[in-house]
């Protein structure tokens, strides 16, 4: 695998040609280069990357593509081929990200700012960019991270610098947090490290990617439940991050560890040097299923309410009064174990692999629904529909609370599967039926982010 994102000379395909024309109409000049970064589908390992655990995503074919020209001005001028996203101009010396208002351009600026800070660039090149996205927004396929990654990559290129895929992934994971969501690094890492034809086990600290060959006799199908979820617009996501952080501290304290230093559930396991199965037992022994009040947490840790609010809770979780620590920690440790089992089954490629992988996906969905509570009735209904339509396994993918499910479908059942899901989930509802085309599709592991020049 090459270390840097590829730079390719290409003949413009229809999409690039169209983007070039829009760019010329808008700015009266030709683009200097193009850059793209893909969205992703996570096959298993939900809400555990920010706890330090490995996940198993693959890039999808849909991506964020941008046409770029570079100039001597101090401005970044942005436009989008989708009229829903308005034009935006910002001075390179004044890049600010408005958390209260997570609009599309702020994701772009996260990528720019991350690269600027990493490289210590005092003067950034002026740029004109037209962005064209094919990743459906607010659907759990990581359109926002693809935008951050695309912006990071094109900023490096526009400023004639070079950064490795791993460094770019780490910069973009960190800088997307300027928007306010405390995601892990899965989405940005797969967007850079993906390779066509293979899913990846991503491990963090340090970031590593290992190929995982998926079974030949099944395909993965993405289906959108048609409930939109913008994770930056609500506090659901950060509440889960904070619950995991508090659970980390309570578990660590109960085992006599230096709890104030530890932030991730994975660190507790590393310190105790026990298996994931043992961590599940420890959760059952130490934590109780009833939600914890702030007072109880303060009492357990021997800290004041002020210190809980300022040191442990994040800005958009200050209002939360009760925290489900047992359920969240149990999900994280058991889901982390399922990721490793999934990879092992793929590697063995024995008879019955598809059935076993399907079971792991089912267990993952049930845990997301019941313990992590990041599903919603439509996602659950769609997962049931997919199973009844012939999937070996089906689960929500991405942050949840709306968005997509991913199903593993034996290749010989694919046609009837698509037909049945269409008939039972999309057709009966006019709104869903209208969205069906971009909502139900087969996907293959796609390649990672790249820079393109017209040949
Ligand atoms: C979002 C975050 C990821 C990950 C998933 C849930 O996509 O950006 O880092 O936490 O949710 O698995």
């Amino acid at each position: 695998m090459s270390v840097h994102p590829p730079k390719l000379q290409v003949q413009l395909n229809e999409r690039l040609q169209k983007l070039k024309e829009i760019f010329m109409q808008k700015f009266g000049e030709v683009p200097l280069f193009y850059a793209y970064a893909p969205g992703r589908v996570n096959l298993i390992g939900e809400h555990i990357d920010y706890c330090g655990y490995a996940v198993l995503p693959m890039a999808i074919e849909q991506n964020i593509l941008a046409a770029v020209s570079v100039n001597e001005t101090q401005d970044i001028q942005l436009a989008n081929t989708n009229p829903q996203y308005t034009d935006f101009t910002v001075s390179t010396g004044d890049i600010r990200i408005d958390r209260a208002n997570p609009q599309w351009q702020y994701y772009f600026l996260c990528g720019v700012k991350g690269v600027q800070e990493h490289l210590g660039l005092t003067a950034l090149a002026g740029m004109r960019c037209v962005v064209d996205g094919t990743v459906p927004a607010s659907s759990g396929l990581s359109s926002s991270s693809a935008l951050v990654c695309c912006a990071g990559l094109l900023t490096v290129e526009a400023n004639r610098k070079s950064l490795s895929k791993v460094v770019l992934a780490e910069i973009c994971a960190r800088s997307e947090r300027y928007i306010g969501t405390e995601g892990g690094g899965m989405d940005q890492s797969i967007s850079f490290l993906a390779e066509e034809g293979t899913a990846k086990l991503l491990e963090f600290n340090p970031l590593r990617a290992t190929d995982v060959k998926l079974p030949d006799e099944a395909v993965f199908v993405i289906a959108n439940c048609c409930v939109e979820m913008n994770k930056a617009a609500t506090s659901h996501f950060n509440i889960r991050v904070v619950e995991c952080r508090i659970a980390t501290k309570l578990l660590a304290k109960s085992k006599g560890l230096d709890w104030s230093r530890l932030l991730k559930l994975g660190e507790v396991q590393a310190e105790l040097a026990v298996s994931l199965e043992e961590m599940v037992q420890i959760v059952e022994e130490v934590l109780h299923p009833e939600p914890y009040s702030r007072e109880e947490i303060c009492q357990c840790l021997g800290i004041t309410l002020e210190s809980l609010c300022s040191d442990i809770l994040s800005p958009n979780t200050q209002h939360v009064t009760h925290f489900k620590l047992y359920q969240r920690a149990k999900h994280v440790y058991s889901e982390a174990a399922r990721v490793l089992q999934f990879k092992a089954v793929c590697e063995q490629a024995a008879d019955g692999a598809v059935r076993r992988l399907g079971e792991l996906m089912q267990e993952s969905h049930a845990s997301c629904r019941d313990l992590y509570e990041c599903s919603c009735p439509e996602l659950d209904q769609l997962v049931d529909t997919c199973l009844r339509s012939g999937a070996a396994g089906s689960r929500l993918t991405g942050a949840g609370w709306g968005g997509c499910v991913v199903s593993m479908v034996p290749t010989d059942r694919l046609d009837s599967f698509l037909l049945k899901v269409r008939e039972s989930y999309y057709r009966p509802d006019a709104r869903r039926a209208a969205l069906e085309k971009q909502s139900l599709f087969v996907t293959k592991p796609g390649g990672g982010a790249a820079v393109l020049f017209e040949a």
Side-chain angles (χ1 to χ4, degrees):
M1 180 170 83
S2 73
V3 175
H4 294 92
K7 291 190 194 186
L8 309 166
Q9 299 272 341
V10 296
Q11 304 285 344
L12 301 191
N13 62 19
E14 206 180 307
R15 181 171 171 220
L16 283 163
Q17 188 61 44
K18 210 167 147 204
L19 181 59
K20 179 180 176 183
E21 280 157 25
I22 295 173
F23 189 97
M24 288 180 354
Q25 272 165 22
K26 183 102 209 158
F27 295 127
E29 59 176 355
V30 290
L32 178 64
F33 67 91
Y34 303 83
Y36 67 83
R40 59 100 190 93
V41 58
N42 189 21
L43 301 180
I44 196 156
E46 224 59 83
H47 287 277
I48 62 171
D49 57 348
Y50 53 80
C51 299
Y53 284 112
V55 293
L56 214 158
M58 65 192 196
I60 55 176
E61 195 192 347
Q62 289 83 343
N63 61 26
I64 303 288
L65 168 69
V68 187
S69 70
V70 179
N71 57 49
E72 300 284 308
T73 71
Q74 303 291 304
D75 289 336
I76 298 176
Q77 284 176 268
L78 290 181
N80 199 304
T81 56
N82 181 339
Q84 193 186 330
Y85 303 117
T86 51
D87 292 3
F88 188 81
T89 299
V90 64
S91 160
T92 54
D94 188 29
I95 296 178
R96 272 175 290 175
I97 288 143
D98 184 0
R99 286 187 176 199
N101 185 13
Q103 289 176 8
W104 81 280
Q105 67 268 18
Y106 295 122
Y107 290 94
F108 189 98
L109 294 180
C110 283
V112 176
K113 194 172 154 83
V115 166
Q116 179 185 28
E117 287 178 349
H118 178 87
L119 292 172
L121 299 173
T122 40
L124 268 182
M127 298 191 284
R128 287 168 157 175
C129 305
V130 179
V131 174
D132 181 62
T134 50
V135 190
S138 303
S139 64
L141 301 177
S142 217
S143 58
S144 51
S145 300
L147 180 54
V148 175
C149 293
C150 180
L153 179 59
L154 67 83
T155 303
V156 171
E157 184 60 31
N159 288 277
R160 302 207 186 145
K161 303 286 180 195
S162 165
L163 290 175
S164 72
K165 295 177 188 179
V166 165
V167 168
L168 271 162
E170 287 174 342
I171 292 172
C172 291
R174 223 178 309 125
S175 66
E176 190 168 335
R177 298 193 194 123
Y178 291 134
I179 282 285
T181 38
E182 300 190 64
M186 165 168 68
D187 311 345
Q188 302 82 1
S189 304
I190 193 66
S191 195
F192 284 109
L193 296 171
E195 286 179 296
E196 216 173 309
T198 177
K200 295 274 183 182
L201 180 84
L202 295 179
E203 295 168 274
F204 302 96
N205 298 314
L207 176 60
R208 284 149 294 160
T210 313
D211 290 1
V212 176
K213 192 180 168 307
L214 300 170
D216 290 329
E217 52 298 2
V219 288
F220 288 86
V221 180
I222 294 176
N224 195 332
C225 80
C226 303
V227 173
E228 286 202 7
M229 158 58 179
N230 176 347
K231 67 179 183 297
T234 66
S235 54
H236 298 313
F237 191 90
N238 282 3
I239 294 175
R240 295 295 177 276
V241 176
V242 155
E243 286 173 318
C244 290
R245 195 179 298 153
I246 300 173
T248 299
K249 294 185 181 295
L250 261 62
L251 290 170
K253 180 134 197 266
S254 80
K255 293 290 167 190
L257 302 175
D258 178 7
W259 62 269
S260 61
R261 203 171 44 79
L262 303 184
L263 293 169
K264 296 178 183 170
L265 286 166
E267 295 167 350
V268 181
Q269 188 201 1
E271 294 274 330
L272 295 177
V274 299
S275 68
L276 286 163
E277 291 70 23
E278 283 168 290
M279 281 314 304
V280 173
Q281 274 173 20
I282 292 176
V283 169
E284 286 172 351
E285 284 156 22
V286 173
L287 300 175
H288 58 67
E290 297 75 28
Y292 286 69
S293 68
R294 296 164 182 244
E295 292 68 29
E296 184 178 2
I297 293 164
C298 290
Q299 203 178 18
C300 290
L301 296 177
I303 58 171
T304 61
L305 192 57
E306 290 71 46
S307 145
L308 174 70
C309 291
S310 62
D311 304 340
I312 302 181
L313 302 186
S314 50
N316 74 344
T317 55
Q318 297 287 326
H319 63 286
V320 184
T321 56
H322 286 83
F323 302 85
K324 293 195 181 176
L325 308 184
Y326 169 95
Q327 293 83 345
R328 311 312 184 217
K330 201 167 162 182
H331 164 79
V332 169
Y333 291 123
S334 59
E335 182 78 355
R338 279 187 288 273
V339 171
L340 303 180
Q341 289 162 24
F342 194 97
K343 175 169 180 275
V345 174
C346 288
E347 274 163 1
Q348 287 150 8
D351 282 355
V354 170
R355 189 183 40 78
R356 180 66 194 126
L357 296 176
E359 285 165 7
L360 289 167
M361 290 174 76
Q362 283 325 114
E363 288 167 23
S364 170
H365 184 74
S367 182
C368 285
R369 181 191 60 213
D370 302 334
L371 295 175
Y372 220 69
E373 295 179 282
C374 61
S375 189
C376 67
E378 293 82 356
L379 278 172
D380 294 339
Q381 185 198 344
L382 184 51
V383 161
D384 284 348
T385 305
C386 291
L387 288 175
R388 273 188 282 106
S389 305
S394 184
R395 55 181 295 282
L396 70 84
T397 184
W401 295 288
C404 290
V405 310
V406 58
S407 303
M408 188 174 53
V409 183
T411 315
D412 55 2
R413 284 191 225 153
L414 178 62
D415 291 342
S416 73
F417 171 84
L418 293 171
L419 203 75
K420 286 182 189 159
V421 174
R422 236 173 248 142
E423 293 297 316
S424 14
Y425 193 80
Y426 294 98
R427 294 282 155 85
D429 175 305
R431 202 179 68 88
R432 289 179 190 166
L435 295 171
E436 183 201 300
K437 243 202 167 76
Q438 69 263 35
S439 297
L440 179 67
F441 54 90
V442 177
T443 189
K444 294 195 291 270
V451 173
L452 305 176
F453 293 91
E454 183 172 359

